[in-house]
PDB file of all heavy atoms in Angstrom:
ATOM      1  N   PHE W 222       4.911 -15.651  -2.498  1.00  0.00           N
ATOM      2  CA  PHE W 222       5.369 -14.618  -1.562  1.00  0.00           C
ATOM      3  C   PHE W 222       6.213 -13.562  -2.276  1.00  0.00           C
ATOM      4  O   PHE W 222       5.953 -12.359  -2.173  1.00  0.00           O
ATOM      5  CB  PHE W 222       6.178 -15.259  -0.427  1.00  0.00           C
ATOM      6  CG  PHE W 222       6.696 -14.262   0.580  1.00  0.00           C
ATOM      7  CD1 PHE W 222       5.957 -13.933   1.698  1.00  0.00           C
ATOM      8  CD2 PHE W 222       7.931 -13.642   0.401  1.00  0.00           C
ATOM      9  CE1 PHE W 222       6.426 -13.002   2.625  1.00  0.00           C
ATOM     10  CE2 PHE W 222       8.414 -12.717   1.314  1.00  0.00           C
ATOM     11  CZ  PHE W 222       7.651 -12.405   2.427  1.00  0.00           C
ATOM     12  N   GLN W 272      12.175  -7.430   3.635  1.00  0.00           N
ATOM     13  CA  GLN W 272      13.296  -7.561   4.566  1.00  0.00           C
ATOM     14  C   GLN W 272      13.112  -8.712   5.555  1.00  0.00           C
ATOM     15  O   GLN W 272      14.082  -9.135   6.186  1.00  0.00           O
ATOM     16  CB  GLN W 272      13.487  -6.247   5.339  1.00  0.00           C
ATOM     17  CG  GLN W 272      14.075  -5.116   4.483  1.00  0.00           C
ATOM     18  CD  GLN W 272      15.452  -5.466   3.952  1.00  0.00           C
ATOM     19  OE1 GLN W 272      15.596  -6.011   2.859  1.00  0.00           O
ATOM     20  NE2 GLN W 272      16.474  -5.173   4.734  1.00  0.00           N
ATOM     21  N   LEU W 273      11.905  -9.219   5.703  1.00  0.00           N
ATOM     22  CA  LEU W 273      11.697 -10.374   6.591  1.00  0.00           C
ATOM     23  C   LEU W 273      12.597 -11.525   6.187  1.00  0.00           C
ATOM     24  O   LEU W 273      13.137 -12.246   7.039  1.00  0.00           O
ATOM     25  CB  LEU W 273      10.234 -10.828   6.534  1.00  0.00           C
ATOM     26  CG  LEU W 273       9.180  -9.912   7.157  1.00  0.00           C
ATOM     27  CD1 LEU W 273       7.794 -10.489   6.928  1.00  0.00           C
ATOM     28  CD2 LEU W 273       9.431  -9.702   8.642  1.00  0.00           C
ATOM     29  N   ILE W 274      12.748 -11.713   4.865  1.00  0.00           N
ATOM     30  CA  ILE W 274      13.577 -12.817   4.369  1.00  0.00           C
ATOM     31  C   ILE W 274      15.048 -12.543   4.653  1.00  0.00           C
ATOM     32  O   ILE W 274      15.767 -13.388   5.196  1.00  0.00           O
ATOM     33  CB  ILE W 274      13.361 -13.010   2.857  1.00  0.00           C
ATOM     34  CG1 ILE W 274      11.907 -13.373   2.564  1.00  0.00           C
ATOM     35  CG2 ILE W 274      14.291 -14.096   2.317  1.00  0.00           C
ATOM     36  CD1 ILE W 274      11.584 -13.468   1.097  1.00  0.00           C
ATOM     37  N   ASN W 275      15.501 -11.343   4.287  1.00  0.00           N
ATOM     38  CA  ASN W 275      16.922 -11.018   4.437  1.00  0.00           C
ATOM     39  C   ASN W 275      17.365 -11.016   5.901  1.00  0.00           C
ATOM     40  O   ASN W 275      18.506 -11.354   6.213  1.00  0.00           O
ATOM     41  CB  ASN W 275      17.217  -9.654   3.808  1.00  0.00           C
ATOM     42  CG  ASN W 275      17.034  -9.669   2.299  1.00  0.00           C
ATOM     43  OD1 ASN W 275      17.172 -10.717   1.666  1.00  0.00           O
ATOM     44  ND2 ASN W 275      16.710  -8.531   1.729  1.00  0.00           N
ATOM     45  N   GLU W 276      16.471 -10.616   6.791  1.00  0.00           N
ATOM     46  CA  GLU W 276      16.827 -10.514   8.208  1.00  0.00           C
ATOM     47  C   GLU W 276      16.397 -11.748   8.996  1.00  0.00           C
ATOM     48  O   GLU W 276      16.620 -11.813  10.202  1.00  0.00           O
ATOM     49  CB  GLU W 276      16.197  -9.254   8.803  1.00  0.00           C
ATOM     50  CG  GLU W 276      16.734  -7.976   8.151  1.00  0.00           C
ATOM     51  CD  GLU W 276      16.048  -6.728   8.674  1.00  0.00           C
ATOM     52  OE1 GLU W 276      15.191  -6.849   9.576  1.00  0.00           O
ATOM     53  OE2 GLU W 276      16.374  -5.640   8.176  1.00  0.00           O
ATOM     54  N   ASP W 277      15.756 -12.722   8.318  1.00  0.00           N
ATOM     55  CA  ASP W 277      15.353 -13.980   8.943  1.00  0.00           C
ATOM     56  C   ASP W 277      14.531 -13.741  10.206  1.00  0.00           C
ATOM     57  O   ASP W 277      14.796 -14.308  11.271  1.00  0.00           O
ATOM     58  CB  ASP W 277      16.593 -14.820   9.271  1.00  0.00           C
ATOM     59  CG  ASP W 277      16.256 -16.292   9.488  1.00  0.00           C
ATOM     60  OD1 ASP W 277      15.242 -16.746   8.924  1.00  0.00           O
ATOM     61  OD2 ASP W 277      16.995 -16.958  10.226  1.00  0.00           O
TER      62      ASP W 277
END
Side-chain angles (χ1 to χ4, degrees):
F222 180 91
Q272 288 299 91
L273 290 177
I274 298 175
N275 294 333
E276 297 176 3
D277 199 26

